[in-house]
Amino acid sequence: MKFYGSLLALYALQSATAFVVHGPKAFTSKTSALSMSDPYANQASKIFEKSNVVLVQGGDTVKTWSLNSGAVKRVQVALRTEGRPLNADVELWQGPDNNPHSMQIYLENGLKRKAFTSKTSALSMSDPYANQASKIFEKSQPVLVQGGDTVKTWSLNSGAVKRVQVALQTEGRPLNADVELWQGPDNNPHSMQIYLENGLKRPFSAVVETPRGPDNTVRVRNTGPMEFPFFACVEPDTTEAGPSGLGAPVTVQGGALRTYAFEPNVESVQVLLKTDGRPLNSKIEVLQGPNNMKTVIDLYTEDGMERPFFAVFETPGSGYVFRILNTAPLEFPMSAWVEPYVIGKDTGLEPVVLGGF
């Protein structure tokens, strides 16, 4: 990772974490003399003004900051010199063996250049990609699911839980996951195979119905390689959040395909699929441009009325097309609602026709 300018980073944290900063090999990183009256005063300087500055000498010098309070959810990191180049490694450690985040940083001039970057582990509502999934992460304790078929489970032992919200997010890498609902040891009434090209820009957020409790368990499996972990939250949906302002549904016969194009000012899209009580088998594809697949979901529920599928898809940018394919036989139609969820300001771009055909 290469930057030109002073650096500010914002991290989301859990308890029992520590930061490690390695100084450059040839230059001293100095952070005093950073008054806001400096002509190059910037976001990093504001942090230096109100914080206790630590000098990190060159030659692989290491400084650490231990964060032993679970109340600390994120920290800001700022590095600066008096005008010389800066070379540093910044690492986040959780325990002795888990290094979930690291950066190698080069600044041509650690005083003059006013570059700025903010980074979170997926969870700050101030993030430019703050969205429906981020709201769940804000109020829940996310769980890190490592790649290589790692499995995490959430047991729902209360019959009062009628549905849960499932949110998956990465730090910008692809996401491959299986999400399954189990009712007892042998009954798997709901399953999804999920692919996201970028799990930060377009995280996954869905509502999973959990009737007939209390023996429901949600299982999340990371089917990606070891290098691609993601964060997961499974939260009881006590607010009964769901579809908003839906119009008339479109009937999708078995084996049929429906496509929907959206205007550039549509920031997120809601998708609701249900049947008259028959099984629901569907494939949802989100494209941005020709053959540019951003999200793919293969979906199965044993009863599309008792367990409908509802999800919100983030659509940053323009040119989005949703494809809804009923992968069931002809005798198993389904009803589909694919409509805007959040509409932002007009971008001034040419509009795209909205509808299904």
Side-chain angles (χ1 to χ4, degrees), residues 163 237-243:
R163 62 186 58 82
D237 186 8
T238 56
T239 61
E240 298 188 5

Side-chain angles (χ1 to χ4, degrees), residues 189-206:
H190 192 129
S191 63
M192 295 179 283
Q193 292 77 49
I194 302 162
Y195 164 75
L196 309 176
E197 183 199 53
N198 185 321
L200 177 62
K201 284 187 176 182
R202 302 173 194 86
F204 176 78
S205 173

